[in-house]
Amino acid sequence: MIPFDDLLYVVFCAALAALAVAAVALAVLYGLRGRSVATQLIVVGAATVLATISGILVISFLMLLNDHDRSVVLAVVTSAGLVAMAVSVLLGRRLVAANRTLVEAVRADRFRPPTARLPAELAELSRELEAAYARLAAAHEREQALEASRRELVAWVSHDLRTPLAGLRAMAEALEDEVVSDADTVRRYHGRIRVESERLTEMVDDLFELSRIHAGALRLSRRRVGLADLVAEAVAGAEALARAKGVRLRGDVREGLPLQVDTGELGRALRNLVVNAIRHTPSDGAVEIIGEVLGGEARVTVADACGGIPEDDLPRVFDVAFRGEAARTPGGGAGLGLAIARGIVEAHAGRIGVANDGPGCRFEITLPLMA
């Protein structure tokens, strides 16, 4: 039996030799850190074999083995080491082939996960790449939709600005050149100029509000307010327009619970819905605003008698500058009211939607109640 002290000495010498080989291998791996995984695996296999051989050499010399026994041991260890290196090379080639397959899939026009079986790490990377490409595709679609919406907005606003500006210019030139001189016509021109100026001001305000919403710069000053108060203010603000057009306007709150909202912004969103409903409802029609609490949420419904919206247009109703059929846009506007309403409602962590219902449409705003 080997004395304990001798055993410790042998272990120390073998470990020292293995550490020396490991240090050299680490230095070589650092120099080859940018090379293929197959090359690095060959270095690792060679280091393992050399560390084993160096330890056996140290042990054989310390144990005073004869040359024959030492040669036999070295031959066995070398054979096993060569087999281990061959396995390392095969593993490296498999990793390189799997990596090349993944790279080719990435370089394709549209990424599709390779059908070949990949190692677990590369398979996970493939799944993450697929998810990332899906997010990029969705972002690209959103960017294209926003760009199309921006171009449509510019076209609509340019058209809507050109018409009142042309009228203002014509009336101003007529007054300046004294083409019209009777008091009634002059008074009518002045009144028309004021109306068109207010219309342009409303359009500019809408554009500014929409730009704040899209830039995330909409700051809400929340305060406690009752659902009934919001509905009553919306009815009062649109009553004159409804009376002028001959539309019946009615508001009803079935259950009034407090909300924590920006009354000015949310009132504007609700007013946009009501004005839109009145404009699209024919004379002798009715617009109804109902406030209620369902499922722990406050819901405000604006129902009109516009005749309905084509099913294909429903998903685009809240898009910027979308107007649908020209016949449904009396009085015009830049088509920003519903887009602004959606932005304000979503800023309050709420939802807004539209559906055809009965003789017209039903717009719904859903808001969280106060905690």
Side-chain angles (χ1 to χ4, degrees):
M1 184 175 180
I2 302 176
F4 184 72
D5 292 341
D6 292 343
L7 182 61
L8 286 179
Y9 182 67
V10 169
V11 171
F12 173 76
C13 293
L16 193 62
L19 286 175
V21 174
V24 174
L26 288 175
V28 174
L29 287 174
Y30 182 79
L32 299 176
R33 61 187 182 278
R35 300 294 296 277
S36 170
V37 175
T39 303
Q40 298 184 43
L41 283 175
I42 292 174
V43 173
V44 171
T48 303
V49 173
L50 292 176
T52 305
I53 292 176
S54 62
I56 291 176
L57 285 174
V58 170
I59 293 173
S60 65
F61 281 113
L62 290 176
M63 296 180 64
L64 302 177
L65 295 176
N66 56 47
D67 294 339
H68 177 268
D69 293 340
R70 187 181 300 114
S71 299
V72 171
V73 172
L74 290 177
V76 172
V77 173
T78 302
S79 300
L82 291 175
V83 172
M85 288 186 63
V87 172
S88 299
V89 171
L90 292 176
L91 177 60
R93 289 173 63 88
R94 181 172 180 271
L95 287 175
V96 170
N99 180 73
R100 188 178 295 113
T101 301
L102 188 59
V103 169
E104 290 175 355
V106 171
R107 289 175 178 172
D109 293 336
R110 179 178 175 83
F111 177 80
R112 291 182 176 82
T115 55
R117 187 173 182 179
L118 302 176
E121 291 78 6
L122 292 181
E124 182 180 4
L125 178 59
S126 176
R127 290 190 294 271
E128 292 297 327
L129 285 172
E130 183 181 15
Y133 270 78
R135 291 193 295 269
L136 285 174
H140 182 62
E141 290 179 0
R142 288 195 300 270
E143 182 182 357
Q144 288 181 325
L146 288 174
E147 180 62 21
S149 177
R150 184 192 65 80
R151 289 195 299 267
E152 188 177 4
L153 172 62
V154 171
W156 277 112
V157 170
S158 299
H159 175 271
D160 286 344
L161 287 176
R162 188 182 298 113
T163 301
L165 287 174
L168 288 172
R169 181 177 179 179
M171 288 183 287
E173 289 177 350
L175 292 172
E176 183 180 6
D177 297 338
E178 297 183 355
V179 174
V180 292
S181 56
D182 59 288
D184 291 340
T185 304
V186 170
R187 189 182 307 110
R188 182 164 54 86
Y189 273 28
H190 284 159
R192 195 61 199 170
I193 289 174
R194 180 182 56 81
V195 171
E196 294 296 339
S197 299
E198 291 177 353
R199 180 185 173 194
L200 290 174
T201 301
E202 290 178 359
M203 291 177 61
V204 172
D205 289 343
D206 285 347
L207 286 171
F208 178 69
E209 183 77 359
L210 193 64
S211 67
R212 288 202 303 160
I213 291 172
H214 285 176
L218 185 63
R219 298 292 179 262
L220 301 178
S221 299
R222 296 175 182 264
R223 69 181 182 88
R224 182 189 177 102
V225 64
L227 182 59
D229 295 333
L230 285 174
V231 173
E233 288 182 8
V235 172
E239 193 171 5
L241 177 62
R243 189 182 305 112
K245 194 177 179 186
V247 173
R248 299 186 303 276
L249 182 62
R250 187 175 74 89
D252 179 30
V253 177
R254 297 170 180 171
E255 184 178 0
L257 292 179
L259 305 174
Q260 194 76 17
V261 297
D262 187 316
T263 55
E265 295 293 345
L266 191 60
R268 178 173 188 170
L270 188 55
R271 186 166 56 253
N272 286 353
L273 293 183
V274 176
V275 170
N276 177 76
I278 293 173
R279 285 177 175 171
H280 295 154
T281 297
S283 300
D284 295 332
V287 172
E288 188 176 34
I289 311 168
I290 298 176
E292 56 188 342
V293 176
L294 292 175
E297 295 179 314
R299 179 177 299 176
V300 181
T301 303
V302 179
D304 58 33
C306 66
I309 300 175
E311 292 295 330
D312 293 340
D313 289 346
L314 281 175
R316 299 189 57 206
V317 165
F318 297 101
D319 290 352
V320 175
F322 177 75
R323 305 192 198 188
E325 300 176 6
R328 296 190 65 256
T329 58
L336 305 179
L338 296 182
I340 291 173
R342 179 178 64 177
I344 293 174
V345 170
E346 291 179 350
H348 283 83
R351 303 184 305 277
I352 188 170
V354 61
N356 289 323
D357 184 28
C361 305
R362 185 183 71 253
F363 288 84
E364 286 186 354
I365 294 178
T366 304
L367 296 167
L369 295 171
M370 271 188 59

